[in-house]
């Protein structure tokens, strides 16, 4: 129940940060940002592009992180999609780009960190970042920034220089916060791996006993 509470809270924070970025007209990174760019370029619905891009990452998550992590990620992605969709029920408002970039980036940073620490993610490059941390002990915050930076650079032609720079500032803040919690995130991944070994050992013991 405690893990479920923190996952919902992490999704809520991430959704709030995303809505702030949208109203500030600041671009987001990751597979969501890439899907948005490709949907404009190819004239394909965002949902279809986002689903297709994430399929390889889900397969990778099942193979490396296990079913528990993958199912939790699917639930988290669904929750964030639902929560951000509630934005249409809010009255129309706008936020200065500079304020939105800082505030939205910070809130998303805390939200994603909370999800990472509770053994889930928001799919896509989030999954890849956690796998590389688990296998190679790489900093998930720096990895997150690298992936998001590449997406934002890819979309520079459509958003302009000012919005592009503020988008980079936003993802830098998000990644900095994730990096701050990297030790707790790593500990969570290690505990998941240890739990898996215990389950495997218990199963082997049961088989031998029978």
């Amino acid at each position: 129940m405690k893990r479920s509470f923190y996952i919902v809270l992490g999704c809520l924070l991430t959704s709030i940060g995303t809505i702030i970025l949208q109203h500030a007209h600041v671009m987001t990174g990751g597979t969501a940002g890439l899907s948005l760019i490709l949907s404009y370029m190819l004239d394909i619905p965002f949902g279809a592009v986002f689903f297709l891009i994430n399929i390889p990452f889900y397969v990778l998550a099942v193979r490396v992180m296990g079913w528990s992590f993958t199912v939790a990620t699917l639930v988290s992605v669904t929750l964030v999609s639902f929560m951000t969709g509630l934005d249409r029920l809010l009255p129309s408002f706008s936020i200065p780009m500079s304020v939105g970039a800082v505030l939205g980036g910070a809130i998303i940073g805390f939200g994603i960190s909370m999800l990472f620490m509770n053994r889930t993610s928001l799919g896509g490059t989030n999954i890849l970042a956690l796998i590389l941390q688990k296998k190679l002990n790489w900093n998930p915050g720096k990895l997150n920034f690298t992936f998001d930076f590449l997406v934002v650079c890819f979309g520079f032609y459509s958003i302009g220089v000012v919005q592009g720079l503020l988008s980079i500032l936003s993802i830098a803040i998000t990644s900095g916060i994730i990096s701050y919690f990297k030790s707790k995130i790593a500990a969570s991944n290690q505990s998941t791996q240890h739990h898996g070994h215990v389950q495997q050992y218990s199963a082997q013991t049961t088989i031998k006993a029978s």
Side-chain angles (χ1 to χ4, degrees):
M1 290 299 295
K2 183 179 179 181
R3 182 191 177 200
S4 299
F5 170 77
Y6 281 122
I7 288 175
V8 172
L9 180 58
C11 290
L12 178 61
L13 289 174
T14 304
S15 301
I16 292 173
T18 301
I19 291 172
I20 290 174
L21 292 183
Q22 289 175 346
H23 285 269
H25 304 290
V26 175
M27 184 179 171
T28 186
T31 49
L34 181 60
S35 299
L36 190 60
I37 295 171
L38 292 176
S39 68
Y40 288 145
M41 291 176 59
L42 304 175
D43 195 24
I44 299 175
F46 168 80
V49 180
F50 185 65
F51 175 77
L52 291 173
I53 287 179
N54 270 297
I55 289 176
F57 293 102
Y58 289 137
V59 173
L60 186 64
V62 171
R63 293 177 63 88
V64 180
M65 304 296 286
W67 277 105
S68 176
F69 171 87
T70 306
V71 171
T73 293
L74 286 168
V75 171
S76 299
V77 170
T78 302
L79 281 174
V80 170
S81 299
F82 172 74
M83 291 175 179
T84 52
L86 296 177
D87 179 40
R88 61 179 178 272
L89 303 178
L90 299 175
S92 179
F93 66 95
S94 61
I95 301 173
M97 281 194 290
S98 56
V99 175
V102 174
L103 185 61
I107 294 175
I108 290 175
F110 283 110
I112 292 178
S113 296
M114 193 170 293
L115 293 175
F116 281 2
M117 286 186 287
N118 286 277
R119 304 183 300 283
T120 184
S121 72
L122 292 177
T125 52
N126 276 184
I127 293 174
L128 189 56
L130 285 179
I131 289 175
L132 289 174
Q133 186 202 33
K134 181 178 181 180
K135 296 296 184 181
L136 303 175
N137 198 30
W138 289 3
N139 187 319
K142 292 181 179 179
L143 289 169
N144 189 77
F145 175 80
T146 301
F147 298 143
D148 289 353
F149 178 78
L150 293 174
V151 171
V152 170
C153 287
F154 184 58
F156 248 70
Y157 74 97
S158 61
I159 62 177
V161 175
V162 175
Q163 284 177 282
L165 292 175
L166 287 173
S167 297
I168 292 174
L169 171 64
S170 180
I171 63 175
I173 292 172
T174 297
S175 302
I177 292 173
I178 295 173
S179 293
Y180 178 79
F181 291 107
K182 65 179 181 180
S183 298
K184 292 184 178 180
I185 295 170
S188 175
N189 283 333
Q190 288 171 0
S191 66
T192 304
Q193 189 173 15
H194 174 71
H195 181 65
H197 289 325
V198 170
Q199 286 183 321
Q200 185 178 10
Y201 175 76
S202 298
Q204 291 174 347
T205 304
T206 303
I207 292 172
K208 290 179 180 179
S210 61

